[in-house]
Amino acid sequence: MAVHKAGRKAGRVATAVAAAALIGVAASACGPDDGDGGTGRSSSAAPGKSGESRDPAAGAPEAKAPPAGSDRLADVPASVKGGVITVGDPKAGHTVKIYEDARCPFCGKFEEGGAQALVGPVAEGKVKVEYTIASFLDKNLGGSGSVQAANALRAAVDAGKFPQYHAAVFANQSAEESDDAFTPAFLLKIADKVDGLRGDAFDKAVTDGTYEKWVGEAMDSFSKDGIQGTPTVFIDGKKPAGDAIYERAAFAEELKAAGIS
């Protein structure tokens, strides 16, 4: 499977992405740098000012709506165990594991492509999806967008809106990977596109970085699983062939081959 690679310097990432675009094939993996164990921890979440009454999303750019099909997952349960978020019936007969970083453009390509083939089977209880949300691109590229997004995604689980918000976050990736676009204000603006998500508890978790410790735990899970790049996808423990994850029809065939349709 083609995945996106990032090295120690942001410049290497830009070079790899440009080369991949020219030849039409992504080079290998968005991988963590050495030095801090790749925990992805950050202290840069921006708490709201005491006594401030205005909407914490004020001033952020407008956000795009999530793909139309994501509302099919509105009643699908999501839960957290360790550093992993599971979406779908826990007793489902099949499991798809997905490793992503919110700033990785190839993860966005997967979400708008192959991942759409999962919506029906998950909604019908045939498969559960286990997400490990990494955050190493902050270290590679600078900024805190991956950590901020992972924190907000964890908050969406408690709000009962993870599948829809997850789809909305990836639909709102910056056009430039190096842009640190996922600020708390923008993540709240994205949340406006998910009915019923905004509220005092969710907003506070996003602006205060409530789940920063969990973000580190998720990054630890990513590292302990030996994953070297994002997106990495397993269907019942096996990687799909080639670039199938980037095309809905091709990924649907991979799911069908595993008995998921």
Side-chain angles (χ1 to χ4, degrees), residues 42-47 144 147-148 151 184 205-210 212:
S42 169
S43 60
S44 58
S144 59
V147 167
Q148 303 278 23
N151 172 75
V206 173
T207 57
D208 289 1
T210 298
E212 187 176 306

Side-chain angles (χ1 to χ4, degrees), residues 30-94:
C30 279
D33 282 341
D34 297 330
D36 66 354
T39 62
R41 293 178 175 87
S42 169
S43 60
S44 58
K49 296 179 181 178
S50 177
E52 189 175 61
S53 59
R54 72 184 184 94
D55 184 350
E62 289 301 316
K64 302 174 186 175
S70 64
D71 59 3
R72 292 189 62 190
L73 301 176
D75 296 325
V76 174
S79 60
V80 180
K81 184 176 182 180
V84 177
I85 296 172
T86 299
V87 174
D89 184 347
K91 297 180 181 179
H94 300 277

Side-chain angles (χ1 to χ4, degrees), residues 220-232:
D220 289 343
S221 295
F222 178 91
S223 299
K224 288 176 181 177
D225 285 353
I227 304 302
Q228 298 298 313
T230 57
T232 293

Side-chain angles (χ1 to χ4, degrees), residues 38-173:
T39 62
R41 293 178 175 87
S42 169
S43 60
S44 58
K49 296 179 181 178
S50 177
E52 189 175 61
S53 59
R54 72 184 184 94
D55 184 350
E62 289 301 316
K64 302 174 186 175
S70 64
D71 59 3
R72 292 189 62 190
L73 301 176
D75 296 325
V76 174
S79 60
V80 180
K81 184 176 182 180
V84 177
I85 296 172
T86 299
V87 174
D89 184 347
K91 297 180 181 179
H94 300 277
T95 301
V96 173
K97 293 181 68 68
I98 298 174
Y99 298 83
E100 296 178 317
D101 187 306
R103 291 178 70 178
C104 175
F106 294 98
C107 295
K109 185 178 178 183
F110 164 64
E111 286 298 330
E112 71 180 16
Q116 297 304 304
L118 277 169
V119 172
V122 171
E124 294 162 10
K126 298 176 180 178
V127 61
K128 62 182 179 293
V129 181
E130 296 179 352
Y131 291 96
T132 301
I133 308 296
S135 50
F136 55 81
L137 280 175
D138 287 349
K139 182 181 177 187
N140 289 359
L141 301 171
S144 59
S146 291
V147 167
Q148 303 278 23
N151 172 75
L153 286 164
R154 173 62 183 83
V157 177
D158 285 356
K161 302 288 183 177
F162 175 81
Q164 306 98 301
Y165 188 60
H166 174 268
V169 167
F170 279 96
N172 281 278
Q173 279 188 329

